[in-house]
Amino acid sequence: AVPPHHPVVCCSPAGPQICTKRPGRGRTLLGSQRKRRKSATPDPKEKQTCDIRLRVRAEYCQHETALQGNVFSNKQDPLERQFERFNQANTILKSRDLGSIICDIKFSELTYLDAFWRDYINGSLLEALKGVFITDSLKQAVGHEAIKLLVNVDEEDYEVGRQKLLRNLMLQTAP
């Protein structure tokens, strides 16, 4: 068990998105639900947490070699020929998708959230994740082709989370 003041990565092995979605994300609320949600104020004594969504994606660096010689059309009409070549290229590129992982990280301490954000901004999070995600088995699977890792954290999530955790600090120091 991890103490509640440490960041927790919530992941499950189901489907291509390893981690569970955050509540309320990507769902439309009915009018009555919206009102309930707005009026539900958190207990000021209860410590608030924030979720930060981390997206990690592996991609091939070059696609030209896979496309060369594999995209062609015998169609006479220029528009049909272009459409067929586009579809073939699209199919090839989709088959080369290495996938992505989305994790929701729960923070209850501002210092941990800020340290995470600093590591994201300065690139050290990316470097640390390369060792986790670009494994020997992945390198074997892609053969001689170069791959890159893309890491994304939404700045708005960080700012909203930071404000929420800042309120925690203010409530703790208030008389």
Side-chain angles (χ1 to χ4, degrees), residues 20-153:
T20 59
K21 291 184 177 182
R22 284 187 282 186
R25 277 275 168 127
R27 289 188 290 189
T28 54
L29 298 176
L30 300 173
S32 60
Q33 290 173 314
R34 230 180 265 124
K35 287 175 191 164
R36 258 197 322 267
R37 192 172 193 198
K38 283 181 183 176
S39 65
T41 55
D43 180 358
K45 295 173 196 139
E46 188 180 315
K47 195 168 196 177
Q48 299 297 303
T49 61
C50 71
D51 291 338
I52 301 297
R53 180 156 287 174
L54 169 68
R55 295 168 179 87
V56 182
R57 179 169 186 74
E59 285 187 354
Y60 287 97
C61 291
Q62 299 294 322
H63 295 289
E64 290 83 10
T65 54
L67 294 172
Q68 276 180 337
N70 293 320
V71 177
F72 58 93
S73 174
N74 295 334
K75 303 275 185 193
Q76 295 301 313
D77 179 55
L79 187 58
E80 287 180 14
R81 185 171 51 247
Q82 190 64 19
F83 188 66
E84 184 176 39
R85 288 175 20 204
F86 172 80
N87 282 336
Q88 289 173 8
N90 190 37
T91 301
I92 291 168
L93 293 175
K94 280 183 181 177
S95 73
R96 293 170 52 83
D97 184 1
L98 296 173
S100 60
I101 294 174
I102 299 174
C103 292
D104 287 339
I105 306 172
K106 187 175 289 298
F107 290 92
S108 60
E109 295 291 331
L110 184 60
T111 53
Y112 292 125
L113 175 64
D114 284 342
F116 174 81
W117 184 253
R118 263 191 318 277
D119 287 348
Y120 169 66
I121 293 299
N122 70 26
S124 58
L125 177 62
L126 172 63
E127 290 305 312
L129 292 174
K130 280 181 183 177
V132 174
F133 289 99
I134 301 181
T135 60
D136 289 337
S137 59
L138 178 60
K139 288 176 188 174
Q140 264 186 328
V142 299
H144 64 282
E145 288 196 63
I147 53 175
K148 62 184 170 185
L149 198 65
L150 304 171
V151 174
N152 179 272
V153 177

